[in-house]
Amino acid sequence: MKISIRTATCLSCILLTSAAHAAVFQGVVADEQGTGIAGAMVTFRFGEPFQERTVFTDDAGAYAATGLPAGTNHLLRVRRIGWKDLISGGHLASEDGATALDLTMVRHTDPAEVAAQLPANHWYALLLEKFDNEYHREQFVRQCTYCHQQGNAATRIVRDTQEWEKVLALMARMGGGLDADLAARVPELINAAYDPEVAVPALTQGWQEPGFAPPPSPEVRRSVIDEYQLGARSSMQHDMIVHPSGHIYSVDMSSDTLFRMDPSIPGGKREWFSIPREEVPLGGVMGSGALPSNTEMHVGPHSLQVDPKGRVWITLATGNRLAMFDPSDASFQIEPLPAGIYPHTLRIDDRGRIWYTIAVSNHFGMYNPENGRHEVVRLPARSFGEEVALRLLPFVFWLSQHVDLDLGGGEGGGLPVPYGVDIAPNGDVWFSQLNAHRIGRIDPETLEVTMIDTPFTAPRRMRFDSKGNLWIPGFSSNLLSRFDPQTLEFKNFELPIEPLGSETPYSLNVDLSTDTVWICGTNSDTLISFDSAAEEFTVYPLPTRSTYTRDIDFDRDGAVWTSNSNAPAWQIETGVPRVLRLIPGRHQDPGTTSSTR
Amino acid sequence: MRIVTTLAALLLLHGCTDEAQEAAALAARLEQEASGLSAALAQHSAPQPGGVVVRLAFGEEADLDLYVTDPLMDTVYFARHESRTGGRIVSDIRCETPTEGLRIEEIRFDAPWPGRYRVGVDHPKRCDDARAPAPSAYALTVFADGEVHEKRGSVNLQRFEVIVLEFEVKGEPNEAT
C-alpha cells in the first residue's frame, strides 16, 4: 500500500481508514461441477448510502476483493452472462486475514434470461440493422440516444403503434424530434427488431458455447470498479469532476444540487449544496413543453470545471446562468448570461477565463471573473433559413412564457448545437457543433471563428492530448477521431464494441500523463481506453445495467471517474444513480476503498 | 423551420379582439366543464378501500395523460406500465379509444409504499382540430390511506403540468430495492 503523508490530520485519517478497511473476501467462483468461471463480476455492497466494489475472477475463477470494511454486513452479487445472478446478504469479513468465500453459480436454462443480461447495445444493433437509409439511422441514433440508452429493458418493449406514436410525440417535445417520415416508420421497425420471438434467438445464438460473451482480457480482469450511490432516485448526475483536493464534485440537473464526495473517507463521505434558484421557475427557460415527470429542475446545473484558484464553475443550463462555488466557504456566486440560451459545456483557460458553448441559441460565451467581462459570439449557421430561425429563438422563448407556443423538438434536430469545448495547449479554443457535424476554432484574442466539417457525424465532447491533437467521439458514427490542428487531418478509429456499430460515444477525456484516451461506452455499459501510441483499444465492462455515461475525469492515482446519468434514472438497474471509479488493471493494488494518497 | 411558421401564424392570429372578455368567458367555460367532469367522476367511482387509486377524467376533445410518481421517484404513465413499487396503469385512454362521453384514465398501487406521491397531467394531443392553446378541462380524484383528494383544472395543448397534486401515504419507510 502506498501512503504519502501530507499532514498530521491526514495521517490519522489514513490510519483510521486502514483499520476500518482491512477486510478481504477471497475465494473461487465455480459452476456446479466445481469448474472455475473466468470473468465473473463479484460485487460487494456496503454502507448507506451504499458503495459497491466489483472485482473480476481470473482464469481459474479466483477473486480477491480487498479494502472492504470489517465488521460490516456486505450484500454480494456475482454476475456472468449465461449464469443466474447469485445474490446473498449478510457477509461479514473478519478483521484478521482474508475471509474465504467460495461461490457456486447456476447456468441459465432460458435463453430469454440470457438475452436480458446483455447490455442495451446488443438489442439496439437489431434495430439499427433494420434502417435501410443511413440518413434515418444517423438521425435516430443522434436524437434518441442522448438522454437514455436505447435497447435497455425500458425501451425495448414491444408496444402497439398508437403507444409508440405517443412516445415519439412526447420525446419530440422533450427535444428528441424525428423527421415525419422517419417517425412514421419507427413503431414498425422497433417492434420488428425487439419482438422476443425473433430477438432472443438472434441474441443468444450459441449461448451455451464457450465463445459466447467471452471474458474480458486478464488486464481488464485485474481492474476494480467502485460505484457510489449519489443523490436522490430521480437524480441526473450529468457531469462529475475530480477536484485537485481529491473530492469528487457532481451536478444533479434534476434537483439543482452540487454534490461533493470524499472518497478518502470509508464508503465515501457525501455532502450536498443547493444551487440558488433565485426566481427561476420549474423547468427554467424550457419550462413550457414537456419536462421529465419526476423533475425538480429550475436552473439545471449541467457541467462543471475547476478554475486555477480551486473554485468550481458550473453552467446552469435552464437557468441561463453561470454559478461559481467557492469550496473555502461553501458559497455560491451567480452570474447571469448576457445573451444566448442554454449554457452547456465549459472549460477554463490558464488565465482563469471561462469558455462555454451555448447550445440552444448557437452561441459561444466567454466570462472573465477577473474583470467581470462577458463576450458572446454568434456561431455560424449553415443556411439563411437556419440563421433566421436562430435569430428568432430568443423572441420565441420570451413569447412562450406569455402565450402557448409549440416549440417542438425540431424535426430531426436540425439546428446546429454548439456542444463540446476544449482548450488547445497553445490556448486556442475549439468546440463542436453537434447537429451540423462540424468543429470550430475560436481565436482567444480576436474571437474570430473558423469552422471545419468533420468527416463523420455528430462530433460530441472532445479533448486535447498533451501533444496538441484533438480527440473527438463521433456519437452517431461509432468512432473515435484524432484531429491534427496543424495539418487539419482527421484519422478515424472505429470503436471495437460488439456488435460493431452499436455504440454511441458521448464523451471522452485524455489522461495527460500517458495520452491514453478514455471514451464513454454510453450504450454498452463500458468504459473504453485507447492507447494513442499503439493505437489499441481496451474495453472495460461495468457492472450495472444501463450505465449511461457523459463525462470522464481522472484522479491523481490514475483511476478513471464517471457518473451514471441515464435520464430517467428509473431505467438504471436498481434505479439508483451513481458515480463510478474504475481502477484499471495495470494498477495492481487497488488499496482500500479510500484512495490511499 | 416550424418555429418560424408557428410564429408567423401566431402574429397573424393575434388580432384585435377583446382579450380580457374572451379570457374570462373561456375560464368560466373550463371551470364549468371541469366541475361537470368532477361530478361525473364522483358518480363513476366509488371510494376505494386500501391501496392508492388515481383517476383522471377528461372529455372527448383531447387526449390527456395521467402521470403518478411514487416515493422512489419512479413514474407510472402510458409508457411505463409498472413502477418498482408495483404501481400500474390500468388504462391509457387515447383519441382512438371508444368511450361514451366520459374518459377516465386510472393508475393504481395495490400495496402502496409510504412516502410522497406526485400527480401530473399532460395534454399532448387534440382529438378535434382545435389549435393551441386549446385548453382542456379535467378532474382528478385520488383515494389514498382512506382519504380522498380532489383537484380540477385545465391544461393547454402541449403543456405538461408536472405537479397538479401531491399527497402522502403514511407508514414506515420501505427497504430500498
Side-chain angles (χ1 to χ4, degrees), chain B residues 24-173:
Chain B
L26 178 65
R29 176 172 69 77
L30 289 168
E31 169 53 27
Q32 202 183 5
E33 282 177 18
S35 68
L37 288 166
S38 186
L41 189 58
Q43 235 180 18
H44 171 93
S45 39
Q48 303 282 319
V52 163
V53 179
V54 185
R55 291 195 178 123
L56 174 75
F58 51 100
E60 284 185 306
E61 75 285 356
D63 178 2
L64 300 195
D65 284 319
L66 175 62
Y67 288 70
V68 183
T69 302
D70 70 19
L72 288 185
M73 303 301 274
D74 195 340
T75 307
V76 184
Y77 70 110
F78 72 87
R80 182 156 172 87
H81 310 155
E82 229 179 293
S83 75
R84 278 197 175 77
T85 70
R88 66 199 155 85
I89 182 156
V90 177
S91 49
D92 170 35
I93 309 294
R94 309 160 182 169
C95 288
E96 300 82 359
T97 314
T99 48
E100 283 162 15
L102 184 65
R103 298 161 155 262
I104 299 177
E105 201 156 299
E106 177 179 313
I107 288 172
R108 28 167 92 228
F109 295 74
D110 294 329
W113 283 35
R116 196 139 193 85
Y117 289 73
R118 166 194 276 198
V119 184
V121 176
D122 189 22
H123 182 175
K125 190 177 170 189
R126 295 297 295 187
C127 308
D128 56 21
D129 291 332
R131 306 187 57 129
S136 188
Y138 69 84
L140 186 77
T141 306
V142 177
F143 302 101
D145 257 359
E147 286 179 23
V148 184
H149 310 263
E150 285 176 302
K151 169 94 189 186
R152 52 184 199 241
S154 67
V155 54
N156 286 350
L157 179 57
Q158 302 271 308
R159 292 276 166 156
F160 181 11
E161 302 294 343
V162 180
I163 312 172
V164 299
L165 185 85
E166 287 182 295
F167 61 93
E168 192 90 30
V169 170
K170 293 184 199 70
E172 287 297 304

Side-chain angles (χ1 to χ4, degrees), chain A residues 44 81 126 150 167 173 227 316 323 331 359 373 465 515 548:
Chain A
F44 290 90
I81 290 170
L126 299 177
Q150 290 293 338
V167 169
R173 286 163 65 207
E227 295 180 74
L316 304 182
S331 66
R373 208 183 95 212
D465 65 18
D515 275 345
Y548 190 101

Side-chain angles (χ1 to χ4, degrees), chain A residues 96-131:
Chain A
D96 0 275
T99 306
L101 189 58
D102 289 342
L103 302 153
T104 306
M105 295 193 86
V106 177
R107 268 265 178 209
H108 270 307
T109 47
D110 180 359
E113 303 215 47
V114 177
Q117 291 182 302
L118 297 169
N121 70 301
H122 289 256
W123 291 80
Y124 198 28
L126 299 177
L127 172 61
L128 296 180
E129 72 191 24
K130 294 250 180 280
F131 289 101

